[in-house]
């Protein structure tokens, strides 16, 4: 494998989910000292600032590390798992012995319980790079060994992945064929953005692109004088001109100064209106707008008749024909806090102008998360502009550098995962239920299924103690299996809840291929630093275990890492040359042979676009039928109705959630916490990097609250606060901001879970009343509810939770989350 030293390797590109960049390696060749963003990136992500120093950071796992009780007493359920109290609870045997034991344990689980007893769902983002993608590696390995219980759908769009194929189109199709930003910037007159267009999220896409068009597209839209209505509890979900991603890399990025700012203050501001909606009530607002369109004769009857089914059912519900409840603006004002007259005016304006209705993915990450997508689609259908330039409905603008970006016309190469003979599965966000309730039945997408009895959990490239809800319950769930294996480069909270921790390399330490569908570059990712300590590639780890099981040849097919990378590239090149993966009308690009590609900077590939979503369906709904049962947009679904689910009826419906400002729980927990994506990092990744570290307040994750709510509680800017409810508590650092709606607070996800343990953090805070298990760092998932969106999708509901907030005047424990448990 290629190793590099020296100070500067300027022509080497690398790819992270937050972009393409050049890493500048330190003199000793062990780490990255600084980075230069890709020269053609109009808006490089500030997350690049987390990269320098990430190879040798203290939080790296240096060598295979095993929980002493598992090593000495053998596998089995253990209430002490995840509750180790210091270095003496861990042992660090040599790689060979650890791999021997894992091979033996895999044999045991297969022989005694069967392949379905292994949970290989292993959800998570891992890192960019087509070959070393951690889940693909793990899944291929587990398939070679005999299979595993898998997870279905994602935390991102778990509700739309299930409901959208039944009413419109596959989530993936919707994303890939969303109207491109250039079309929107040129044609949209009124943008009604539920959840805003949170530019902070658009530095990211899976695989990483060198192109971030959202900030300039928004500027273009504003410059044209379009009206933008941002419906969101946070004003900055539609950033002011020049605010860009909302955070900056504290030490700057090399080469960044040459770049024009993402917006400039003297550009016209357009007409931006902030509608500070009560979280979780968007459906009411959407239905009330439909009410206005129907009662004032503004609904597009023709479009509803020719392109949709179910409009009558929606009308009956909205007009209250069956139950006498009119879903009109006055009704919606009581639920949403938005004045009725404004709602009515916006509906009229929307009917008169070229209007685009967008919903961010966040809206579905709450109870009944299926409904806002469906109701948003219904609103757009009543406006009748679906399929027109700059009009219609889109999901996920501003959620990622993906919807609205011109996609590459084909798939990139990836590691074949083989076949999984195991039928058992769990919806991804039901992981605690799966581990806690073997044999229990659950509903999903109209079916009834049973959770298998999981004896072994293997996680690579994900961090459930970052991403899952109700972490106290997840801790309990993680005590149930016999064996928990975690591969990660870093000592995440999930690694701390494992029996066997396998130190993986980071992408900077290995060769790979980089590419994202929203970008159009295939990048040779050459290793830039030495490997850290005893870290190994996930591939090598699985190959070594496969060898112990007599399955090495099946796993490796006789290739080493370089062999695989060349094989994947040449296969891709051949597929393109023979047009196997090219849609009609796209010219086949000619790719150089591997050696030439590998020595270069990367290849530009064709992109599709400009795209106007659903334009063909609009032009001819018979010839271009949708993949729904009726071939049309289903504003009501006979299929979903037939499932008879109280929490997901057969048409868009306002259903009161448990965690919202209008409910009974507010008596005890009056503040609605929005737990959204962090502006300063990707999820929990590189939380100890410079951009993320600079965002912390009093060493904790910042919690933003409205000055009035802070004053009522005697909380000042920079104070440490205790955020709590009946599930758990965390400390956080207060930031007062009028950009947050009154009654709402915002605490992003991703601060590494650091449960208070008097043995590690010292007894003082506990004596002052800090409950054990309180996250001293600020992870909101200690508070969130572990319930699905509904019995239809069973998706993540982590975005909203009711809490109370108070100033914490007791001793403040040090955050130990970034210190390996083998040290303290
Ligand atoms: N409350 C609340 N919770 C949420 C959300 C929310 O809105 N609110 N959002 C949800 C969403 S949308 C998502 S996608 C999830 C994200 O949750 P995750 O995807 O689980 O979060 P990450 O921090 O990206 O975890 C990736 C892990 O992979 C590791 N890794 C990186 N490269 C490699 C590698 O090469 N090999 C190995 N073995 N490991 C590697 C990283 O160190 C990191 O620990 O969070 C969800 N959780
Ligand atoms: N910097 C950064 N970017 C990211 C990520 C990251 O971790 N960091 N993660 C990536 C991933 S995996 C995903 S899936 C996407 C997620 O994309 P989203 O889910 O869209 O992102 P969020 O930031 O969770 O939420 C967007 C905004 O929705 C608003 N919102 C919350 N609840 C409501 C509501 O009830 N009604 C309305 N109208 N608005 C509401 C919040 O104020 C929030 O800022 O982001 C991606 N981009
Ligand atoms: Mo996500």
């Amino acid at each position: 494998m290629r190793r590099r030293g020296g100070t500067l390797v300027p022509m080497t590109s690398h790819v992270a989910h937050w972009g393409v960049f050049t890493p500048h390696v330190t003199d000793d060749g062990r780490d990255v000292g600084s980075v230069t963003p890709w020269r053609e990136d109009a808006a490089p992500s500030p997350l690049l600032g987390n990269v320098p120093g990430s190879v040798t950071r203290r939080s790296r796992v240096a060598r295979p590390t095993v929980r002493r009780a598992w090593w000495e007493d053998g596998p089995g359920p253990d209430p002490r798992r995840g509750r180790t109290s210091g270095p003496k609870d861990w042992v660090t045997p040599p790689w060979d012995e650890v791999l021997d034991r894992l091979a033996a344990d895999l044999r045991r689980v297969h022989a005694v319980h069967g392949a379905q007893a292994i949970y290989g769902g292993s959800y998570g983002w891992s890192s960019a790079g087509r070959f070393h993608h951690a889940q693909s590696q793990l899944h291929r390995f587990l398939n070679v060994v005999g299979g595993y219980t898998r997870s279905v759908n994602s935390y991102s769009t778990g509700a739309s992945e299930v409901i959208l194929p039944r009413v419109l189109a596959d989530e993936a199709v919707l994303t890939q064929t969303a109207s491109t930003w250039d079309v929107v910037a040129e044609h949209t007159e009124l943008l009604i953005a539920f959840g805003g267009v949170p530019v902070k999220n658009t530095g990211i896409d899976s695989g990483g692109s060198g192109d971030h068009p959202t900030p300039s597209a928004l500027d273009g839209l504003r410059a044209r004088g379009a009206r933008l209505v941002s419906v969101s509890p946070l004003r900055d979900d539609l950033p002011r001109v020049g605010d860009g991603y909302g955070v900056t890399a504290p030490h700057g990025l090399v080469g960044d100064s040459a770049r024009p700012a993402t917006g400039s203050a003297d550009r016209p501001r357009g007409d931006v209106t902030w509608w500070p909606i009560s979280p979780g009530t968007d459906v009411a607002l959407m239905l009330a707008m439909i009410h206005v369109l129907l009662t004032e004769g503004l609904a597009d009857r023709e479009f509803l008749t020719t392109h949709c089914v179910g409009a009558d059912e929606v009308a009956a519900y909205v007009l209250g024909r069956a139950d006498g409840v009119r879903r009109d603006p006055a009704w919606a004002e009581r639920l949403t806090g938005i004045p009725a007259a404004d709602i009515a005016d916006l509906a009229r304006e929307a009917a008169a102008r070229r209007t685009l209705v967008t919903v961010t993915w966040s809206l579905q990450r709450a109870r009944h998360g299926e409904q806002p997508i469906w109701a948003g689609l219904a609103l757009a259908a009543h406006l009748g502009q679906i399929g027109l330039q700059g009009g219609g409905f889109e999901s996920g603008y501003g959620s990622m550098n993906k919807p609205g970006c011109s996609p590459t016309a084909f798939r990139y190469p990836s590691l074949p995962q083989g076949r999984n003979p195991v039928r058992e599965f769990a919806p991804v966000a039901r992981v605690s239920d799966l581990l806690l309730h073997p044999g229990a039945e659950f509903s999903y997408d109209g079916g009834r299924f049973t959770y298998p009895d999981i004896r072994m959990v293997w996680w690579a490239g994900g961090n459930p103690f970052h991403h899952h809800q109700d972490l106290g319950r997840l801790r309990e769930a993680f005590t149930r299996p016999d064996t928990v294996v975690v591969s990660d480069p870093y000592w995440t909270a999930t690694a701390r809840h494992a029996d066997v921790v396998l130190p993986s390399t980071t992408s900077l330490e290995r060769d790979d291929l980089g590419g994202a569908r929203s970008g159009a570059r295939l990048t040779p990712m050459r290793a830039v630093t030495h490997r850290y300590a005893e870290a190994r590639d996930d591939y090598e780890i699985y190959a070594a275990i496969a060898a112990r099981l007599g399955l090495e040849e099946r796993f490796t097919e006789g290739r080493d890492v370089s062999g695989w990378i060349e094989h994947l590239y040449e296969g891709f090149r051949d597929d393109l040359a023979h047009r196997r993966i090219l849609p009609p009308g796209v010219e086949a690009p000619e790719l150089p042979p591997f050696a030439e590609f590998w020595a270069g900077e990367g290849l530009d590939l064709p992109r599709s676009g400009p795209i106007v979503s659903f334009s063909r369906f609009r032009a001819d709904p018979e010839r271009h039928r949708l993949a729904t049962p009726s071939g049309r947009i289903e504003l009501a679904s006979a299929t979903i109705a037939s499932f008879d689910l109280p929490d997901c009826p057969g048409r868009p419906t306002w259903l009161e959630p448990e965690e919202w400002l209008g409910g009974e729980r507010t008596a005890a927990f009056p503040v609605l916490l929005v737990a959204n994506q962090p502006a300063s990092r990707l999820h929990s990744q590189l939380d100890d990097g410079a951009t993320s570290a600079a965002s912390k307040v009093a060493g904790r994750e910042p919690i933003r609250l409205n000055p009035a709510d802070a004053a009522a509680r005697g909380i000042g800017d920079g104070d440490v606060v205790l955020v709590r409810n009946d599930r758990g508590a965390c400390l956080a650092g207060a930031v007062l901001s009028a950009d947050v709606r009154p009654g709402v607070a915002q605490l992003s996800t991703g601060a590494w879970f650091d449960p208070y343990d008097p043995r590690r953090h010292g007894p003082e805070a506990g004596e002052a009343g800090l409950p054990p298990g309180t996250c001293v760092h600020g992870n909101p998932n200690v508070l969130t509810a572990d319930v699905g969106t509904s019995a239809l999708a069973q998706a993540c509901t982590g975005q909203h939770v009711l809490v109370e907030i108070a100033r914490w005047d007791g001793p403040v424990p040090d955050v130990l989350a970034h210190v390996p448990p083998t040290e303290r």
Side-chain angles (χ1 to χ4, degrees), residues 464-594:
F465 282 86
H466 152 72
H467 67 232
H468 195 52
Q469 286 52 68
D470 197 345
L471 294 182
R473 188 164 186 258
L474 184 68
R475 290 187 100 184
E476 171 69 21
F478 261 60
T479 66
R480 299 299 174 92
D482 298 342
T483 299
V484 176
V485 187
V486 171
S487 318
D488 206 290
Y490 299 96
W491 270 113
T492 62
T494 304
R496 291 162 198 269
H497 284 78
D499 299 308
V500 182
V501 184
L502 302 171
S504 162
T505 49
T506 69
S507 64
L508 293 156
E509 297 151 70
R510 60 196 185 210
D511 292 342
D512 210 334
L513 296 172
R517 284 205 80 179
S518 48
R521 286 187 67 70
L522 186 70
T523 305
M525 293 167 68
R526 295 177 292 257
V528 291
T529 72
H530 295 286
R531 279 190 190 183
Y532 178 70
E534 291 183 30
R536 290 189 183 177
D537 297 350
D538 296 286
Y539 177 71
E540 269 182 284
I541 297 171
Y542 304 139
I545 302 172
R548 284 162 169 79
L549 297 169
L551 298 165
E552 183 176 19
E553 175 62 29
R554 280 188 53 205
F555 180 70
T556 66
E557 295 178 28
R559 295 187 191 97
D560 61 6
V561 171
S562 333
W564 268 108
I565 292 171
E566 181 163 355
H567 172 75
L568 292 177
Y569 176 85
E570 289 296 353
F572 178 64
R573 184 171 165 235
D574 195 59
D575 283 347
L576 283 176
H578 292 94
R579 306 199 51 93
R580 276 180 223 115
I581 53 174
L582 275 177
V586 179
E587 212 179 300
E590 219 179 284
L591 267 52
F594 180 73

Side-chain angles (χ1 to χ4, degrees), residues 125 127 365 463 467 487-488 510 538 675 677 684-685 781 798:
W125 266 64
S127 49
R365 223 171 293 117
N463 189 358
H467 67 232
S487 318
D488 206 290
R510 60 196 185 210
D538 296 286
Q677 317 299 311
S684 70
Q685 295 194 38
N781 276 326

Side-chain angles (χ1 to χ4, degrees), residues 83-102:
R83 291 172 199 269
T84 55
S85 63
K88 63 172 189 338
D89 289 340
W90 299 90
V91 291
T92 53
W95 264 114
D96 273 346
E97 288 180 29
V98 174
L99 297 175
D100 288 345
R101 284 285 290 269
L102 284 175

